[in-house]
Amino acid sequence: MDTVEKIVEDFASDIAMSSFSSGTRLRDMIRAIRACKTAAEERAVVRRECAAIRTAISENEPALRHRNMAKLMFIHMLGYPTHFAHMECLKLIAAAGYPEKRVGYLGLMLLLDERQEVLMLVTNSLKQDLNHPNQFIVGLALCALGNICSAEMARDLSPEVERLMRSREVNTKKKAALCSIRIVRKVPDLAENFMALAASLLKEKHHGVLISAIQLCTELCKASKDALEYLRKNCIEGLVRILRDVSNSSYAPEYDVSGIADPFLHIRVLKLMRILGQGDADCSEYMNDILAQVATKTDSNKNAGNAILYECVQTIMGIEATSGLRVLAINILGRFLSNRDNNIRYVALNMLMRAIAVDALAVQRHRTTILECVKDADASIRKRALELVFLLVNDTNVKPLTKELIDYLSIADPDFKGDLTSKICSIVEKFSQEKLWYLDQMFKVLSLAGNHVKDDVCHALIVVLSNASELQGYSVRSLYKALQAYGKQGSLVRVAVWCIGEYGEMLVNNVGMLDGEEKITVTESDAVDAVEIALNRHSADATTGAMCLVALLKLSSRFPSTSERVKQIVARNKENAVLELQQRSIEFSSIIQRHQSIRSSLLERMPVLDEASYLVKRATATQATISANKHAPTVAPGGLKLPNGVAKPTSAPLADLLDLSSDDAPASTTTSTTTPNDFLQDLLGIGGVSTSTAGVPSTASTDILMDLLSIGSSPLQNGTPGQGKKSKPVHAVPEAIDLLGSLSSTTSVSAETKPTRLVSQGMDLLDGLSSSTSVSGLEKTVHPSITAFQSTTLKITFDLKRQPGNPRETTIHATFTNLTSSTYTDFIFQAAVPKFIQLKLDPASGNTVPANGNGSVTQGLSVTNNQQGQKPLAMRIRMSYKVNGEDRLEQGQVSNFPSGL
């Protein structure tokens, strides 16, 4: 029995001394929480401590109330609920002693906010404490009221705060002014009660009271127009006096910051001056002298001095200052640009961008320094300086500024070349005074950064070339020379081969020589060599390859002696993996071989493009893009960041986006990219549209030449005859189709064609269909790889495999190939199918697609067609990725699956 009693006594003693009893000190609880190794242990400690506090509250132990409140505040900061102890705050506030009140008010500010109903109960205690004879208790009440007061409390207690602003105690006046700011924000109607008091406080000598009063005046100006007018009449003189006294004051250790007298008061006064002087000429004139004094006397070698100067510049640019004072302010910003601190230079560039609207001529004087900032090592400064240079350009300085930017373009960082190129192209297009200068600058940009030039810029250049008949010879010679030196620049190659194809005879014969231009010797064979080299070098780019083939076809007509060689070059692409190039090769070979009589008229020079209508169309499209970006709904974080391998969700958004809510699979396919107004879509019809899947039929407005050449869409895109009925996909094979024969045969193709594969050898649709030839009799049961999607930037192939045990299930091995010179990062593939098809995606092999086809990313898919034989397999796909940190999105539809899947 003695042993049992001893155990019970030890246990009771342990409980009494436990670190979780209500008598635990705050430091002991913090030590116990920090000793926890897991979140579960921490929750257990907090739970037991809260239980002990609840017990103490229920037992009403006044001696431990302040200690419990201190622990509750710490628990609240850890994120745990403490609502059960709100009444304890009120009890501590109602206590007589200062220590209890201090903890109570601190708990009130931390644990409650103005939305808590229990806060209404503290109004009476606050009112009593605001009238307390002890200034420290009054300070506690003012501090609490300034932090959590609601509109109702502001109305009830504003008379006490007004009275305290007249107090003799400096600290009380300062806290009352700060509390008034909260009251004015909550109840703007009370602003008129504080106008005279705020103005009177500006006569104080104590800097703390002055800063509080100036901040109150600033808030009054924002809250009431009447207060703004009152302070303009009664406070300008006081503010000027304060600023002069602070600027001329001797060294005071209490307010000194790095040798600058009270920079915080400086800045507050300058901000209030800016508000009062904005739009008021009289007030601004009264401030001019003191602002000039601050701008000239402040030491710019100290960071505190730079802060004052920056605020002074903002004030000068914000009020109705004189022109001389504005020049002084902009010169200060010019000195900032020479500072070694990147932050100072950045804020100076930002301020100069706003100063251009006020005094552009003064900013122009610092153009050289701004241009140096464009070459800065810091990316943020480079970008901001480039935007400022763009704003500085006008008709008088466009040529020297453009020359400086183009010279820097050759040595600029690759990451910066995109922005720099875009700005240069915009400047040249906007301020070009003559076509020759415009063409020269664009040729330089294409040569130095052709891979960064956007398609719409190239299209605009081609439109200008088409209309500048007197400069076409000069242009084709300049582009030919640039092509020899900079053949790796994609946009340069496209524009150059287009010009060589259109104006090749001018290149060979030196037509249209300008004064001072050197003659070059180019043979017909040299022109073909240039296009052939471009075709071989850019074989992975379907757009460039297609343009090269068109240029070769036109050269075969311009230069009959090269016809046989062009035929051989074109024929090499009959088995090209890119379907667009394969189809063009077949059609162009047929033109060269079989249609000599119409070739010259068919391949005449392109008609002059309507420059005015193009500019209107481009401006309209640009405005539409800006409006769409402005009003586009914000994508939720991670909206496009689904990991590869995620199966099709059951929720509606993706299905709605891909328009697959119907069970019926669409018969045609269209794709789109994020690049608007692709000029190649106008010239060749392949810029932003996938050439690997069946598309929509050509519109009635399509040019007849484009119909004859099938430029802009492959036969699969133009659709099969009889588009009025539902058509099933037809698969094309090299060397199969000649679209330029005569349609003399009366043989017709049925409106609804079964899935077929046109065999090679011997079928010329325009030479007439033999009556013995049956389209439906050319079926092939083998399912090879298909090109599911192809654009100018991305190619996707599907390797299909039927599961032997389950004929409805098909395994797909998808391969993603990057056709551009930029690496794709964060690559995500998504797919959606109709309801009668089940889809499963496996994780991808990676999320980075190497550039130029040097490697690929693969991903497995499994689809089960529950209505096999009744409805064909169809799928919509979407690919999102990043190029140099910029989000890109492409999507399309795959419906060229072999029959029977």
Side-chain angles (χ1 to χ4, degrees):
M1 288 297 295
D2 292 340
T3 305
V4 173
E5 290 176 357
K6 188 174 185 304
I7 292 174
V8 172
E9 289 176 359
D10 292 341
F11 181 73
S13 177
D14 290 341
I15 292 177
M17 298 299 295
S18 171
S19 60
F20 307 116
S21 66
S22 61
T24 308
R25 293 179 301 175
L26 175 62
R27 69 179 65 180
D28 295 329
M29 187 193 73
I30 295 174
R31 189 179 294 114
I33 291 175
R34 289 179 176 175
C36 298
K37 296 181 179 180
T38 63
E41 291 182 15
E42 179 183 296
R43 287 194 296 270
V45 171
V46 172
R47 189 165 50 249
R48 283 179 287 182
E49 187 64 41
C50 287
I53 294 174
R54 285 193 188 94
T55 302
I57 291 174
S58 62
E59 295 177 357
N60 195 16
E61 299 180 9
L64 299 176
R65 187 170 289 151
H66 66 283
R67 180 181 295 177
N68 290 338
M69 182 55 60
K71 289 188 287 186
L72 282 169
M73 285 187 281
F74 184 79
I75 291 171
H76 173 77
M77 288 188 287
L78 292 178
Y80 296 97
T82 56
H83 56 275
F84 60 88
H86 288 171
M87 294 301 297
E88 292 296 291
C89 295
L90 305 184
K91 293 178 181 178
L92 285 170
I93 290 172
Y98 175 79
E100 290 80 5
K101 284 184 178 291
R102 182 179 62 176
V103 176
Y105 277 119
L106 183 59
L108 182 73
M109 291 183 284
L110 283 178
L111 304 184
L112 288 89
D113 56 47
E114 60 181 279
R115 295 168 294 180
Q116 302 287 343
E117 294 183 0
V118 71
L119 196 62
M120 299 174 60
L121 303 175
V122 81
T123 303
N124 191 48
S125 297
L126 280 170
K127 190 169 187 176
Q128 292 178 358
D129 289 341
L130 289 174
N131 294 298
H132 202 282
N134 188 331
Q135 63 167 323
F136 299 108
I137 293 178
V138 173
L140 289 176
L142 286 171
C143 185
L145 187 62
N147 277 279
I148 62 168
C149 104
S150 61
E152 292 77 10
M153 294 174 67
R155 290 189 180 93
D156 293 339
L157 299 177
S158 61
E160 277 70 22
V161 177
E162 293 175 36
R163 180 183 56 79
L164 291 172
M165 290 179 67
R166 302 184 183 93
S167 172
R168 296 182 179 180
E169 297 292 338
V170 172
N171 287 330
T172 301
K173 283 193 288 189
K174 179 180 68 174
K175 292 184 178 182
L178 293 174
C179 183
S180 301
I181 296 173
R182 172 84 177 197
I183 292 174
V184 171
R185 286 176 181 171
K186 287 297 175 183
V187 188
D189 295 341
L190 296 176
E192 60 181 13
N193 298 340
F194 295 96
M195 293 188 301
L197 291 170
S200 65
L201 288 180
L202 295 179
K203 300 176 183 178
E204 294 286 334
K205 299 295 184 182
H206 192 274
H207 285 207
V209 177
L210 286 176
I211 290 179
S212 303
I214 291 170
Q215 187 63 24
L216 175 58
C217 291
T218 304
E219 198 65 38
L220 289 171
C221 292
K222 295 177 183 178
S224 170
K225 290 184 178 180
D226 293 337
L228 176 62
E229 293 300 326
Y230 177 86
L231 294 175
R232 277 176 176 168
K233 294 178 181 178
N234 297 279
C235 294
I236 290 296
E237 184 177 351
L239 291 174
V240 171
R241 176 184 54 77
I242 293 170
L243 196 55
R244 183 179 292 111
D245 291 344
V246 176
S247 300
N248 298 328
S249 64
S250 57
Y251 173 75
E254 185 179 359
Y255 307 120
D256 182 81
V257 177
S258 301
I260 305 296
D262 204 342
F264 301 101
L265 183 57
H266 266 101
I267 291 172
R268 290 292 184 188
V269 173
L270 289 169
K271 284 183 176 180
L272 181 55
M273 281 184 168
R274 181 164 71 249
I275 295 173
L276 298 177
Q278 188 173 9
D280 191 303
D282 294 336
C283 288
S284 301
E285 184 180 359
Y286 198 84
M287 301 175 191
N288 283 338
D289 292 341
I290 187 60
L291 291 176
Q293 179 181 338
V294 172
T296 53
K297 290 185 62 176
T298 304
D299 186 4
S300 61
N301 295 322
K302 306 292 178 59
N303 198 43
N306 286 328
I308 295 173
L309 287 174
Y310 176 71
E311 202 63 46
C312 184
V313 170
Q314 281 195 306
T315 301
I316 292 171
M317 304 309 292
I319 67 173
E320 307 300 319
T322 61
S323 59
L325 194 57
R326 287 199 298 267
V327 171
L328 175 62
I330 292 173
N331 290 340
I332 292 173
L333 296 177
R335 293 203 307 269
F336 280 0
L337 293 179
S338 303
N339 199 296
R340 291 180 296 177
D341 191 327
N342 288 346
N343 295 326
I344 294 176
R345 280 184 290 168
Y346 186 83
V347 297
L349 290 170
N350 272 338
M351 192 63 208
L352 284 170
M353 291 180 69
R354 287 182 283 171
I356 287 180
V358 179
D359 195 338
L361 184 61
V363 180
Q364 289 281 0
R365 298 191 184 101
H366 303 279
R367 190 175 64 208
T368 304
T369 309
I370 296 169
L371 277 172
E372 290 300 318
C373 291
V374 175
K375 307 172 185 178
D376 196 87
D378 189 274
S380 299
I381 292 177
R382 283 202 309 261
K383 185 174 181 180
R384 190 61 68 193
L386 182 60
E387 294 174 357
L388 181 55
V389 169
F390 183 74
L391 296 176
L392 287 175
V393 177
N394 54 38
D395 292 332
T396 59
N397 62 18
V398 60
K399 290 186 177 180
L401 277 178
T402 304
K403 182 180 182 302
E404 290 280 353
L405 294 176
I406 291 178
D407 290 343
Y408 176 61
L409 187 61
S410 59
I411 59 173
D413 293 341
D415 294 339
F416 186 54
K417 274 191 176 181
D419 291 337
L420 184 57
T421 302
S422 177
K423 291 297 184 185
I424 293 175
C425 292
S426 299
I427 290 171
V428 173
E429 288 181 1
K430 184 177 180 181
F431 296 98
S432 59
Q433 300 168 349
E434 51 190 18
K435 287 187 176 181
L436 179 59
W437 180 82
Y438 167 80
L439 293 174
D440 284 338
Q441 307 313 310
M442 292 305 300
F443 294 161
K444 290 177 183 177
V445 173
L446 288 174
S447 300
L448 297 174
N451 291 327
H452 299 278
V453 177
K454 296 180 179 179
D455 289 340
D456 59 340
V457 175
C458 295
H459 191 187
L461 176 59
I462 288 176
V463 172
V464 173
L465 285 172
S466 173
N467 286 270
S469 58
E470 71 282 0
L471 297 174
Q472 288 168 352
Y474 169 77
S475 299
V476 71
R477 287 187 291 274
S478 300
L479 288 169
Y480 176 81
K481 290 186 287 187
L483 186 62
Q484 302 297 314
Y486 304 97
K488 294 183 179 180
Q489 302 292 344
S491 296
L492 171 66
V493 172
R494 295 173 189 174
V495 177
V497 298
W498 183 88
C499 279
I500 293 173
E502 293 295 322
Y503 316 118
E505 70 279 7
M506 294 184 177
L507 173 65
V508 172
N509 300 322
N510 283 319
V511 176
M513 293 291 295
L514 301 181
D515 295 338
E517 183 184 355
E518 295 182 3
K519 288 187 178 181
I520 60 173
T521 302
V522 181
T523 64
E524 296 177 353
S525 179
D526 292 338
V528 175
D529 286 342
V531 181
E532 182 185 10
I533 292 171
L535 177 61
N536 295 333
R537 179 175 289 168
H538 299 272
S539 58
D541 188 347
T543 302
T544 305
M547 295 187 74
C548 291
L549 288 176
V550 174
L552 287 169
L553 180 63
K554 292 201 170 188
L555 290 179
S556 70
S557 176
R558 310 278 193 275
F559 310 141
S561 61
T562 64
S563 182
E564 189 61 31
R565 182 184 171 195
V566 169
K567 174 185 172 183
Q568 295 174 1
I569 298 172
V570 171
R572 294 175 198 161
N573 291 276
K574 288 185 177 180
E575 298 180 358
N576 197 301
V578 180
L579 185 59
E580 176 70 30
L581 302 183
Q582 179 190 117
Q583 178 189 340
R584 289 180 184 275
S585 177
I586 295 168
E587 295 175 0
F588 294 173
S589 296
S590 177
I591 294 173
I592 297 172
Q593 288 179 358
R594 306 182 187 182
H595 305 287
Q596 296 290 339
S597 59
I598 66 170
R599 183 172 62 170
S600 59
S601 59
L602 187 66
L603 301 176
E604 287 181 353
R605 188 174 296 169
M606 273 187 76
V608 176
L609 302 172
D610 189 350
E611 188 171 4
S613 62
Y614 166 72
L615 292 176
V616 172
K617 175 183 174 183
R618 185 181 181 190
T620 303
T622 303
Q623 186 63 35
T625 302
I626 294 172
S627 300
N629 292 337
K630 185 183 294 184
H631 297 97
T634 304
V635 178
L640 292 179
K641 303 299 182 183
L642 296 177
N644 285 333
V646 174
K648 176 188 174 185
T650 57
S651 57
L654 180 60
D656 292 341
L657 175 65
L658 298 180
D659 195 21
L660 285 173
S661 58
S662 172
D663 287 350
D664 296 328
S668 63
T669 300
T670 58
T671 61
S672 63
T673 66
T674 57
T675 305
N677 301 322
D678 194 337
F679 81 103
L680 297 169
Q681 188 171 354
D682 293 335
L683 293 179
L684 294 176
I686 61 173
V689 180
S690 172
T691 61
S692 62
T693 54
V696 295
S698 302
T699 61
S701 61
T702 305
D703 191 281
I704 186 170
L705 178 62
M706 298 180 73
D707 289 338
L708 288 174
L709 289 177
S710 187
I711 292 178
S713 56
S714 65
L716 299 180
Q717 289 172 314
N718 288 335
T720 60
Q723 286 290 347
K725 298 183 180 181
K726 184 176 179 181
S727 300
K728 297 185 179 180
V730 179
H731 302 277
V733 166
E735 302 182 13
I737 308 168
D738 183 0
L739 297 180
L740 295 174
S742 64
L743 287 171
S744 59
S745 174
T746 58
T747 306
S748 61
V749 183
S750 63
E752 181 166 352
T753 309
K754 294 182 180 180
T756 60
R757 183 171 177 82
L758 302 179
V759 297
S760 61
Q761 304 298 332
M763 197 168 173
D764 189 343
L765 295 180
L766 297 183
D767 282 336
L769 288 170
S770 172
S771 59
S772 61
T773 303
S774 172
V775 176
S776 61
L778 301 176
E779 295 183 359
K780 192 173 183 179
T781 57
V782 178
H783 304 312
S785 300
I786 64 171
T787 302
F789 176 91
Q790 182 162 332
S791 66
T792 58
T793 57
L794 184 65
K795 177 182 178 182
I796 303 174
T797 57
F798 281 180
D799 294 324
L800 309 173
K801 182 179 180 182
R802 183 79 64 84
Q803 293 297 328
N806 185 4
R808 293 184 175 183
E809 183 177 354
T810 303
T811 301
I812 302 174
H813 182 77
T815 303
F816 309 98
T817 305
N818 180 358
L819 303 180
T820 68
S821 58
S822 301
T823 301
Y824 296 166
T825 59
D826 297 343
F827 184 85
I828 298 174
F829 171 76
Q830 294 174 296
V833 293
K835 296 177 182 178
F836 62 86
I837 298 175
Q838 294 179 352
L839 170 67
K840 178 182 178 182
L841 282 82
D842 297 328
S845 61
N847 62 354
T848 301
V849 188
N852 298 320
N854 298 326
S856 58
V857 172
T858 61
Q859 186 166 2
L861 300 85
S862 177
V863 290
T864 302
N865 187 353
N866 295 321
Q867 298 187 20
Q868 184 189 17
Q870 302 176 19
K871 293 184 179 181
L873 192 62
M875 180 184 299
R876 273 196 182 272
I877 57 176
R878 182 169 72 176
M879 293 68 64
S880 62
Y881 51 88
K882 287 186 177 180
V883 180
N884 298 325
E886 180 182 354
D887 289 325
R888 297 289 178 87
L889 179 68
E890 297 192 51
Q891 62 185 27
Q893 182 171 314
V894 188
S895 60
N896 59 334
F897 290 102
S899 61
L901 295 181

